[in-house]
Amino acid sequence: MTARAADRARYDRATAAYDAPLALVDLAAFDANAADLVRRANGKPIRVASKSVRCRALLERVLAREGFAGIMSFTLAESLWLARSGFDDVLLAYPSADRAGYAELAADPKLAASVTVMVDDVAQLDLIDGARAGGREVVRVCLELDTSLRLFGGRVRVGARRSPLHSPAQLAELARSVVRRPGFELVGLMGYEGHVAGVGDALAGRPVRSRAIRLMQAAARRELAERRGAAVRAVRAVAPGLEFVNGGGTGSVQHTAAEDAVTEIAAGSGLYVPRLFDNYTSFTGRPAALFALPVVRRPGVGAVTVLGGGYPASGAAGPDRLPVPYLPEGLRFDPQEGAGEVQTPLLGSPADDLLIGDKVWFRHAKAGELCERFDVLHLVEGDTVTATVPTYRGEGHTFL
């Protein structure tokens, strides 16, 4: 029996009393992935990206481990909810236009002390001030560095189109605007190098492209390390009390941790290890989060149909954004239908061994987005469900 076949047998035994569709997290794999992130961070604390987890119980579990500290959130409403729930160090990774949320933040000393918001434009400061509604609490602010690699005089950009602050001088200018402005405190600097952390460099069957990605990423790491160091020096000259410099992502933990200017690493997807993180030379994780769909039809030889399955991930549309059949091994989508809204045909010889009601296990393309489909996660240890915990959705929250 292969290791994957053994996992399937465990998961089927653990969830025998539960009807699919359902989702689970294998706690042994989750904990092993957490330990590997800490190893690669080499002593620098890891701030957990909540969008990649979307389950308070699992956020609490990982933050109880040595090597993890703080949350990186994705909306202001989520940040405030987490702070009210007892998480006391929440960095909002994206600018917000949530005026009601800013009014709450500026009026509550506990929230204002626990939440740091992201800014990359003076207009965002104006929006916050306009939303205070009489609240006088100091708002903690983090600036975001654009990490993209610019080539040929800026005519070619490699990396996400995020912050407009690319140069140390631009960051220093905005830093001066923050420190001069009453009601704000500049406490952090962040830079997410998604073109390194979120792009696999070992694509199956594509050695030339994989080599090109590795060359690009090596050049991007060198350029960014130099520019980020200069940016931190420029901002610290304006705000000597800067508390943290955040960088990285699951795919670049060890590289970003090696930069002296970076004080903490962001990571989250590496806890669940969705399918987009299978193609890296720098680390190998264990799939920890899966979902199961029930077989409801047997339309012919070498084919079964499962209920649901059309759970695409965000990003540029393509086959890599679809979930993949994982267990039993050897199943594949029908190319004419793909993953369907209500039903999904699956092809391959293992289909002939599946009966009506059997579970087929899938892996989602991206980490926390799986939790937008399920109210609860069944936590599995060995071949037993030891707890069933709500996702954000199960607690009544769909923040985006």
Side-chain angles (χ1 to χ4, degrees):
M1 180 181 290
T2 67
R4 279 174 60 175
D7 283 341
R8 180 194 175 201
R10 285 197 302 113
Y11 300 150
D12 282 347
R13 287 195 299 271
T15 62
Y18 301 91
D19 288 335
L22 60 81
L24 68 72
V25 171
D26 185 328
L27 290 180
F30 182 90
D31 290 344
N33 293 334
D36 187 62
L37 288 170
V38 170
R39 176 189 64 80
R40 291 198 287 137
N42 196 28
K44 292 189 176 176
I46 298 171
R47 186 180 290 275
V48 184
S50 63
K51 78 178 182 67
S52 300
V53 180
R54 302 193 202 198
C55 171
R56 278 200 302 165
L58 290 175
L59 288 172
E60 291 168 352
R61 183 183 183 91
V62 72
L63 285 169
R65 299 179 64 96
E66 186 175 352
F68 290 85
I71 289 177
M72 177 177 282
S73 59
F74 59 97
T75 74
L76 182 55
E78 179 212 14
S79 306
L80 301 178
W81 176 64
L82 290 172
R84 291 192 200 95
S85 301
F87 297 96
D88 60 4
D89 181 6
V90 182
L91 169 63
L92 174 57
Y94 307 88
S96 176
D98 180 355
R99 291 178 172 84
Y102 283 128
E104 289 184 54
L105 181 68
D108 189 314
K110 181 183 183 300
L111 296 179
S114 301
V115 175
T116 301
V117 304
M118 192 63 60
V119 168
D120 59 30
D121 192 312
V122 171
Q124 293 155 356
L125 301 176
D126 294 338
L127 187 147
I128 295 170
D129 269 339
R132 285 179 181 269
R136 297 180 178 276
E137 296 299 322
V138 172
V139 174
R140 291 166 54 86
V141 167
C142 178
L143 306 184
E144 181 171 1
L145 167 69
D146 170 40
T147 65
S148 64
L149 176 63
R150 297 183 180 181
L151 304 171
F152 306 109
R155 293 189 296 275
V156 175
R157 175 185 56 84
V158 180
R161 195 183 297 276
R162 290 176 62 114
S163 170
L165 307 176
H166 188 78
S167 71
Q170 290 172 313
L171 283 156
E173 181 180 359
L174 184 55
R176 284 188 287 270
S177 295
V178 174
V179 301
R180 288 196 300 256
R181 193 158 182 155
F184 294 92
E185 181 184 8
L186 179 56
V187 299
L189 177 66
M190 187 196 85
Y192 170 58
E193 54 269 32
H195 51 302
V196 179
V199 178
D201 63 351
L203 307 180
R206 306 184 71 179
V208 174
R209 180 168 176 79
S210 297
R211 173 66 174 165
I213 290 172
R214 287 194 289 273
L215 290 172
M216 176 276 292
Q217 290 179 339
R221 288 196 300 269
R222 289 192 298 270
E223 186 275 338
L224 179 57
E226 181 177 345
R227 182 161 52 88
R228 180 153 44 198
V232 172
R233 290 190 295 273
V235 172
R236 286 196 187 279
V238 177
L242 204 67
E243 297 175 13
F244 64 86
V245 177
N246 181 283
T250 288
S252 66
V253 169
Q254 66 273 33
H255 301 297
T256 309
E259 294 183 34
D260 291 337
V262 174
T263 67
E264 63 176 39
I265 308 300
S269 296
L271 296 169
Y272 288 169
V273 186
R275 62 167 294 206
L276 284 179
F277 286 85
D278 285 347
N279 304 311
Y280 285 77
T281 57
S282 60
F283 79 102
T284 301
R286 291 173 56 182
L290 300 94
F291 67 94
L293 302 177
V295 174
V296 291
R297 285 177 170 164
R298 292 169 50 87
V301 175
V304 293
T305 302
V306 295
L307 182 69
Y311 305 160
S314 61
D320 65 334
R321 301 291 145 167
L322 295 178
V324 290
Y326 183 59
L327 301 170
E329 298 178 68
L331 293 173
R332 65 187 186 278
F333 292 125
D334 182 331
Q336 295 186 56
E337 298 195 47
E341 177 188 7
V342 177
Q343 66 171 33
T344 297
L346 298 171
L347 308 179
S349 58
D352 294 329
D353 297 322
L354 291 169
L355 305 176
I356 299 296
D358 283 352
K359 295 180 177 79
V360 176
W361 296 90
F362 290 75
R363 293 174 65 201
H364 201 264
K366 295 183 73 175
E369 293 183 26
L370 169 65
C371 293
E372 298 298 333
R373 299 285 181 171
F374 294 92
D375 291 341
V376 300
L377 297 173
H378 299 291
L379 307 185
V380 172
E381 297 184 71
D383 60 358
T384 303
V385 172
T386 57
T388 297
V389 297
T391 61
Y392 280 12
R393 169 178 161 161
E395 296 201 66
H397 296 289
T398 51
F399 292 108
L400 279 179

